[in-house]
Amino acid sequence: MPLNKNNTQSLQSLARKLAILYATTTFSVLLIASGLLYWSVLDHLQKEHQSLVSAKIVELRHYFKDSSLLGETLYSLIDAEHHHSQVTHSSAIHPGIPHHIFLRIFDEQNNLLVESNLPQALPTPLNFPLIDQQDTTSISIIKVNPESDQLFLLGSAWAETTSNKQARKVLIHALLKLAPDESLLSNFQRTLAAVLFFGVLASAFTGFWVTRRGLRPLRQITETIQNINVQQLNEQVNSGQWPKEISLLANAFDQMLARLDQSFARLSQFSADLAHELRTPVNNLMGTAEVALSRDRSPEEYREILESNIEECGRIARMIDELLFLARAENPKTEISCVAFQIEKEFEVITEFYDMLASDQQVSIKYQSNQVTLFADPNLLRRILSNLISNALRYSKANGHINLSASISKDKSVVITISDTGEGIDEDLLPQIFDRFFRADKSRQRDKQGSGLGLAIVKSIMDLHGGQVLITSKLQQGTQVKLIFPQNKS
């Protein structure tokens, strides 16, 4: 049967899901990495800006402390420092672009003494941070955004100096324009966004391609499975070239095919055996009926024919009953009623039932249980014992013996042993002994007393109890059957 569209869509859906998973994972990783990188650059720039302004203020404090600066001398110093900052103060992250530091000096009465010349006018007002006049060691720095497109770093500090041999204090205002670095950050943001976008796209396409390539063995396995039918259950799916995970799946499928092949073989053999077993009694019924109708007969003759037909019908009824029992026993949902009971009582009942038949065949039946208690279904145990003793009587000769015993093994399992001195079974046939309709003695294929299902029923009952049945046998020496029940639960 060809692969339908729904199956194809499911395969493609798996590839898409994995591609989306790859893309989502990549997006998360890149987003975290980009955020950490952006935060690191931003933090570095802020520290660099503050360090630049602080260093300039500290430098001016040293000038004021060591010199008496008045008038043109002070102006020349401020102007020289401004030009010096234009040349030397460039960002380590954005080299080549100078950072212009604008300076203002005020006296104690807040009168402007001198300020740097700038090619562009500064926005007003600029609220520099306030600082205590008595504090000539601290530096206060803040970032302001007076206009939407400009950022400034403002610093304030008091410094001590002398004028006309008198101690004086001056207020230093330092201003740093952050426009060059803000432009850098904007470009950096766009670069990170582009990397994030194209990284996710590349991950999605790569993930989809890798997934499709990785799922190729599954599609090849699907094509192989499509060619398998009832006549080709021995087809091997695993070629030995798959990856380890796919190879495990293929091996499991091969094992399933092997089990199906064996099941179909057993089913075919069972159907053939069933048809063969039913054909004999049906032919007997038809033959006797045709003979009875061939001419007029006496009432006694008709009676004999009817009795023969009833016997054949009984054989068919027993076979159907046993087949129905096997079908119920092999159903995993079948439940059994287990109770604790003395095995000796069951041995006594079953031997009494078969005692007269055994006496007619000059066979003795003995039992020994040693007061062993068994946790099992009594009715099913009687059926097991009945089938085994019936088989033993059927293949035992005169003066033969059938012994029943029960014991407890080292692992606390209960072992029931049924042994006889009958004809025995060829060891080569023992693996097939539990197959339905199998008879070790081909000369007894038409034996009306058995249906060939007795041992199959025994095996099914033991499986229901979670136990096992073992058979050992030698030709002309007899057969021994061991029924091993799990540990008593009573």
Side-chain angles (χ1 to χ4, degrees), residues 301-342:
E301 291 177 324
Y302 281 120
R303 184 181 182 86
E304 292 178 359
I305 292 173
L306 288 175
E307 288 177 351
S308 176
N309 287 350
I310 289 175
E311 184 179 353
E312 293 294 341
C313 290
R315 181 183 175 188
I316 295 175
R318 288 193 300 273
M319 186 183 302
I320 293 174
D321 179 67
E322 291 174 343
L323 288 173
L324 290 175
F325 177 84
L326 284 172
R328 290 193 298 270
E330 292 179 354
N331 188 340
K333 297 182 180 180
T334 300
E335 297 181 357
I336 56 178
S337 301
C338 294
V339 295
F341 58 91
Q342 294 291 325

Side-chain angles (χ1 to χ4, degrees), residues 90-308:
S90 60
S91 172
I93 298 179
H94 202 171
I97 299 180
H99 287 73
H100 306 292
I101 300 179
F102 174 77
L103 298 172
R104 282 177 176 173
I105 307 298
F106 296 87
D107 61 13
E108 295 169 304
Q109 288 75 35
N110 203 29
N111 297 317
L112 178 63
L113 300 177
V114 67
E115 66 177 357
S116 303
N117 291 326
L118 284 180
Q120 297 179 353
L122 295 176
T124 55
L126 283 176
N127 297 319
F128 283 79
L130 299 178
I131 191 167
D132 186 6
Q133 185 175 355
Q134 304 303 319
D135 186 1
T136 58
T137 59
S138 300
I139 299 174
S140 179
I141 300 175
I142 60 172
K143 181 189 290 188
V144 297
N145 184 17
E147 298 181 4
S148 59
D149 59 342
Q150 287 187 349
L151 279 175
F152 298 93
L153 200 64
L154 305 181
S156 296
W158 285 95
E160 293 180 343
T161 186
T162 57
S163 179
N164 298 326
K165 298 181 180 181
Q166 292 183 357
R168 296 179 58 184
K169 292 181 180 178
V170 293
L171 177 63
I172 304 172
H173 281 176
L175 178 147
L176 177 64
K177 295 182 65 175
L178 303 180
D181 290 326
E182 291 301 321
S183 176
L184 168 67
L185 289 176
S186 298
N187 294 332
F188 190 58
Q189 289 176 353
R190 288 190 291 269
T191 301
L192 290 179
V195 170
L196 187 63
F197 176 76
F198 289 107
V200 170
L201 283 183
S203 175
F205 283 113
T206 303
F208 185 80
W209 179 81
V210 170
T211 303
R212 291 284 296 176
R213 186 176 181 84
L215 293 177
R216 185 182 301 171
L218 290 179
R219 292 193 293 272
Q220 294 174 351
I221 290 176
T222 302
E223 293 173 359
T224 303
I225 294 174
Q226 288 175 353
N227 298 325
I228 296 176
N229 51 40
V230 177
Q231 289 77 29
Q232 294 177 322
L233 288 177
N234 58 350
E235 183 83 16
Q236 293 293 310
V237 174
N238 188 11
S239 66
Q241 300 177 353
W242 312 127
K244 181 178 180 180
E245 295 77 8
I246 302 298
S247 181
L248 293 175
L249 173 64
N251 284 333
F253 200 87
D254 285 341
Q255 294 173 7
M256 183 190 69
L257 288 177
R259 293 193 297 269
L260 287 176
D261 191 22
Q262 295 174 1
S263 299
F264 273 107
R266 288 196 299 267
L267 181 60
S268 299
Q269 185 64 38
F270 172 71
S271 300
D273 293 341
L274 180 60
H276 175 74
E277 294 293 329
L278 290 176
R279 182 175 59 186
T280 300
V282 170
N283 287 340
N284 291 340
L285 289 173
M286 293 178 61
T288 54
E290 290 173 355
V291 170
L293 295 175
S294 62
R295 62 179 177 84
D296 294 336
R297 299 181 182 276
S298 63
E300 291 76 11
E301 291 177 324
Y302 281 120
R303 184 181 182 86
E304 292 178 359
I305 292 173
L306 288 175
E307 288 177 351
S308 176

Side-chain angles (χ1 to χ4, degrees), residues 339 341-353 367 369 372 374 377-383 385-386 389 404 416:
V339 295
F341 58 91
Q342 294 291 325
I343 298 179
E344 184 175 4
K345 295 181 180 179
E346 297 301 323
F347 283 174
E348 182 179 356
V349 171
I350 201 71
T351 53
E352 287 181 359
F353 180 81
Y367 66 88
S369 69
V372 175
L374 176 64
D377 190 318
N379 295 325
L380 295 181
L381 178 63
R382 293 189 199 109
R383 186 156 193 169
L385 297 176
S386 177
I389 294 175
L404 288 76
I416 298 176

Side-chain angles (χ1 to χ4, degrees), residues 427-445:
E427 293 183 1
D428 295 336
L429 300 177
L430 288 179
Q432 310 173 52
I433 201 69
F434 295 110
D435 293 347
R436 299 177 185 181
F437 302 116
F438 177 80
R439 291 186 179 90
D441 188 354
K442 300 300 181 182
S443 64
R444 295 180 179 266
Q445 289 289 342

